[in-house]
Amino acid sequence: MKKVSAYAAASPKSPLAPTTIERRDPGPKDLSIEILYAGICHSDIHQARDEWGGARFPMVPGHEIVGRVTAVGAEVTKLRVGDLAGVGCMVDSCRVCGPCREDVEQFCESGCAFTYNSTEMDRTTPTFGGYSTDLVVDERFALRIPAGLDPAAAAPLLCAGITTYSPLKRLGVKPGDRVGVVGLGGLGHMAVKLAASMGAEVTVLSTSRAKEADARRLGAVGFEVTNDEATFQKLAGRLDVVIDTVSAPHDYNAYLGLLRPRGTMTLVGAPPEPTALNAFALIGGAKRLTGSLIGGIAETQEMLDYCGERGIASDVEIIPIQDVNKAYERMLRGDVRYRFVIDIASLRG
Ligand code: NAP
Ligand code: ZN
Ligand code: ZN
């Protein structure tokens, strides 16, 4: 065991504060990683405040991790000492069930081991995330970071990137498709970049008029504010796909109205409270409402390689870990352009 520095929430009501945690001794298939950067996902806030229920404390959030490999076990082949490594939302799974064999470990029948707010597959050892100096992970759940991507800007790909890439791929988004992205935050800005890179005509639907210029710079051809009823009339029946990244409750029915017949809306945003769904919003036009949860390890590597080839990464604001609580408050106000990334050097001191 090695004691390492971290930031943790002691309870749903406590701010994050410095602490120490233990990392296991690396086994033959493990990598030891010195963490360089950790992105701040809105899921970190939902979980640190126990908004989804069942949270485990103390909690060290962080599942958008990029670090440097400092040691490898004897059986490791994927990465070498000195390589950059990424770790996303999962650190293990049963590996033998149907979903694990089909490369969707996030749906492991035993429940995968999430990077934090979870346990290892022994179901007793708590897992702790990337707001810490070091991590030990099985190579199977580590990702290669393509050369040429800035490591800080690549960190958010490990969650925001894969969470938006996966549904765009699954829905077969192709040149000329009209894709609406609801909410221009961490996930939303990656959805815009990725959908535009696939040739889609992207429209951003935002509560913040001030984000219009950014939306266009990120690759959107359209921008509409959602607090104006005229938006819903103007775009009615026009979109092939809607990717909804909003973190707070809102009216899904209104956005379903923007789909063309047989179009698909995918929820990736995970508001804690339920929203009423009107059957007629789906029946008229045989529309589809789906959801998507991160992506499997193989698809995450595919996404990283895709981004590496095209120079796609996140727009980041790098902060010292001492500012993490302020960053949470700013995110809750929609004041982030477009992902906070913690420089973990600030935790080494
Ligand atoms: P974020 O950076 O805070 O972005 C969320 C955006 O939603 C905001 O920037 C804002 O965009 C919009 N928004 C916020 N509150 C709103 C409200 N009350 N009404 C309308 N729009 C609002 O968060 P994120 O990190 O992208 O995460 C977004 C959501 O996805 C969270 O719920 C998170 O837990 C979830 N998530 C899901 C997965 C998955 O696998 N499905 C993975 C990661 C995250 P505008 O200013 O443009 O309106
Ligand atoms: Zn996330
Ligand atoms: Zn499994």
Side-chain angles (χ1 to χ4, degrees):
M1 292 284 201
K2 181 179 170 189
K3 271 199 184 318
V4 309
S5 299
Y7 259 56
S11 79
K13 298 255 180 274
S14 338
L16 296 169
T19 188
T20 55
I21 53 168
E22 287 187 335
R23 295 299 193 188
R24 68 171 180 264
D25 295 326
K29 293 193 185 302
D30 282 339
L31 304 171
S32 298
I33 297 172
E34 175 187 73
I35 299 177
L36 300 174
Y37 296 103
I40 301 180
C41 178
H42 207 113
S43 303
D44 296 349
I45 305 179
H46 289 311
Q47 292 177 92
R49 299 186 175 184
D50 196 15
E51 293 173 355
W52 293 337
R56 297 165 174 269
F57 295 92
M59 185 188 302
V60 177
H63 58 206
E64 295 184 335
I65 301 166
V66 169
R68 182 82 59 192
V69 178
T70 55
V72 296
E75 294 168 25
V76 168
T77 56
K78 200 188 226 178
L79 287 156
R80 288 190 289 202
V81 171
D83 286 347
L84 284 177
V87 177
C89 299
M90 296 180 279
V91 288
D92 208 351
S93 71
C94 88
R95 303 166 187 215
V96 294
C97 72
C100 282
R101 284 199 311 263
E102 289 157 20
D103 290 327
V104 281
E105 302 91 343
Q106 70 271 38
F107 307 129
C108 174
E109 286 170 3
S110 305
C112 68
F114 287 107
T115 304
Y116 70 86
N117 190 22
S118 178
T119 62
E120 299 286 356
M121 294 310 287
D122 65 9
R123 301 280 94 135
T124 53
T125 312
T127 55
F128 295 116
Y131 300 3
S132 60
T133 54
D134 300 81
L135 181 67
V136 177
V137 67
D138 190 295
E139 65 166 343
R140 186 170 163 151
F141 286 81
L143 287 308
R144 291 181 301 273
I145 304 297
L149 286 186
D150 173 66
L157 299 179
L158 277 307
C159 177
I162 183 60
T163 300
T164 48
Y165 177 87
S166 185
L168 291 169
K169 276 297 291 264
R170 186 173 334 114
L171 294 173
V173 166
K174 56 185 188 309
D177 282 359
R178 290 190 294 233
V179 174
V181 174
V182 191
L184 195 63
L187 266 56
H189 94 293
M190 288 312 308
V192 173
K193 290 189 187 203
L194 289 165
S197 78
M198 294 169 188
E201 238 180 68
V202 181
T203 298
V204 168
L205 295 142
S206 171
T207 58
S208 322
R209 168 61 72 194
K211 291 181 181 173
E212 177 163 5
D214 284 345
R216 295 188 189 279
R217 177 178 55 76
L218 294 165
V221 297
F223 180 94
E224 302 294 339
V225 284
T226 51
N227 29 30
D228 183 351
E229 191 44 44
T231 292
F232 294 90
Q233 283 152 20
K234 179 176 167 189
L235 290 182
R238 289 189 53 82
L239 302 175
D240 297 290
V241 166
V242 170
I243 305 284
D244 184 335
T245 76
V246 175
S247 50
H250 56 291
D251 181 16
Y252 298 139
N253 305 291
Y255 295 94
L256 287 165
L258 307 186
L259 291 174
R260 63 159 174 78
R262 292 187 290 175
T264 302
M265 169 153 143
T266 296
L267 306 182
V268 288
E273 299 83 10
T275 299
L277 185 66
N278 182 343
F280 290 101
L282 293 172
I283 291 172
K287 293 170 184 176
R288 292 188 298 176
L289 178 61
T290 68
S292 199
L293 177 69
I294 52 172
I297 294 297
E299 193 178 36
T300 303
Q301 189 64 59
E302 176 191 306
M303 175 277 309
L304 285 165
D305 295 343
Y306 176 95
C307 289
E309 282 158 23
R310 291 163 181 80
I312 297 172
S314 181
D315 286 21
V316 299
E317 178 175 340
I318 298 177
I319 60 160
I321 200 157
Q322 293 75 14
D323 287 352
V324 68
N325 294 302
K326 270 189 260 169
Y328 277 21
E329 292 310 318
R330 283 183 55 194
M331 257 177 109
L332 290 168
R333 294 197 299 268
D335 175 21
V336 49
R337 295 202 170 31
Y338 278 88
R339 197 57 136 187
F340 289 115
V341 171
I342 302 166
D343 180 354
I344 296 296
S346 61
L347 186 53
R348 290 209 171 77

